[in-house]
Amino acid sequence: MRHLGPAILLALLCPGVPSARAADGPSDDGSSPTPLAADDGDEPSDPPDDDEGEAFRHFKAFSSTMTCEADEHAMPFNHQIRGVNLGGWMVLEPWITPSLFYQFLGGNETTTAMDHYSFCEVLGPEEGNRQLRRHWETWVTQDIIKQLAESEAVNSLRLPVGDFMYQPYGPYVGCTDGALDYVDTLLDWADSYGLSVLIDVHTAKDSQNGFDNSGQSLGFQWTSGLNKYPRGLTTFQHWPIREANWIGDFDPVALEYTSVNRANIEHSLRVIETIVEMYSGHPAVLGIEPVNEPWELTPLHLLKRFYWDAYLIVKRKAHYWKFIIHDSFRFTPETWGGFMKGCPDRALDTHIYQAWLDPASRLSFYNNACAQKRQIALMEREFGPVVVGEWSLATDNCAMWLNGFNDNLSGFPRSPCKYIPCSESYLNGDDYQQPGTPLEVGKGLQGPYGTGISGPAYGLCPVDRDWYTPRYNEGEDGM
């Protein structure tokens, strides 16, 4: 599981640095995307005289400027979040739960799944739901939640959920039936053990970033017809043509959006409204993150307006929920400084990963962490509270399928990886055998093949490499 950690942890590595508070075409309804209007630029600092604002319990919100005026009773976001992500549970990611995807090794264009969307599409609603229910039953258990609480190391859980769980569409219909029952149970467990839960809407229709963690990897193209010689392999490409069409139609040549998909945006807002209606009275819910990791090419004025509309939906019914927005991979004061100024209970989420950096010494990674800490302190001055919603101690890209099922990002991994016997499936038991498991140790790397290599071979799986030490560099056994 990906870890959720407070920004304050970075201060331990950086003495003298001030601490930071932790914390595609026509849509389904037949409507067509609307032309993309130009960015209106920075929001004015003060609302115009004709904007009387919307009054809430302890503050007033001004939609013309996307800012607020709060009174002395407004609740500040001033507590530290220390927690973990329940990654891979409600939203499948092959690198987190690979044994769910072993069954697709050796597949072709019609029998291979690479994300949650194609998992349901290939298996169909009945078989997909059967396997998902086994997964939901075994991946997160009450004993795990109990251990987390008793460790006293965490006080909160970040729960990635799919938009399709609340407003089903496409192949998800029927395939994810029953998911909400497990969410209800998880919330009750968390409440009984004194843990809060941040509901993170991890997916969006037509993908907000093109990653498999959005539910659907976009863009994607089978290239088998171009690879008939010399072996006739089943091949595909994803990373060179990645796109994200949640917000509108993306032009990969101009690297910009040509239209806005209002239907998709409204769908996401309905999902948020449904979540608020379902859980506003549950004591375990800390708040909501309206969309996870919208990519850096998302038009900022559209993203900010989506965040603002979602905030108003939340505050109308869940008065004290925290509202955490992702930085869209643009963690700068120029991007977020002044946005939602004066609005209570909001925080900015940034995700810190060093796994995509060049191989380096321990000191280099420590220095990078210190630089992140300084940027967090700056953002807290310019925007407000910051939460590091995802982070990891990994310093390489070796984890199997980290960059997608049977694929890898061009140029990665950037250092040799270690191979160890693949883990046994968590799904298997006396009365259940997950298709595709156990792996056949006599088989080498199987297709379909992406633009990079990552996958099991002869029963071995790639994992993080060992650290190199000075003794190793001197020719001794120092790994």
Side-chain angles (χ1 to χ4, degrees), residues 27-28 67 80 83 92 96 119 135 147 170 186 192 241 292 348 376 410 457 468:
S27 58
D28 290 346
T67 59
Q80 209 176 88
L92 301 183
I96 300 180
F119 181 92
H135 162 68
Q147 290 181 43
L186 182 279
S192 66
I241 57 173
N292 175 68
L348 187 65
I376 288 171
S410 299
Y468 291 97

Side-chain angles (χ1 to χ4, degrees), residues 29 48 108 118 149 156 165 196 204 263 285 386 406 438 473:
D29 62 4
N108 57 35
S118 55
S156 191
M165 295 161 51
S196 66
V285 178
V386 171
N406 263 25
N473 295 333

Side-chain angles (χ1 to χ4, degrees), residues 253-304:
V253 177
L255 296 180
E256 62 183 17
Y257 283 86
T258 59
S259 63
V260 183
N261 196 318
R262 301 290 180 188
N264 279 358
I265 297 171
E266 288 300 320
H267 167 85
S268 293
L269 292 173
R270 288 195 301 273
V271 168
I272 293 165
E273 189 165 19
T274 301
I275 291 173
V276 171
E277 290 173 351
M278 291 183 68
Y279 308 126
S280 61
H282 201 291
V285 178
L286 173 69
I288 191 170
E289 188 161 357
V291 66
N292 175 68
E293 295 186 341
W295 74 340
E296 66 279 5
L297 297 175
T298 307
L300 196 59
H301 66 295
L302 294 176
L303 182 60
K304 286 184 175 181

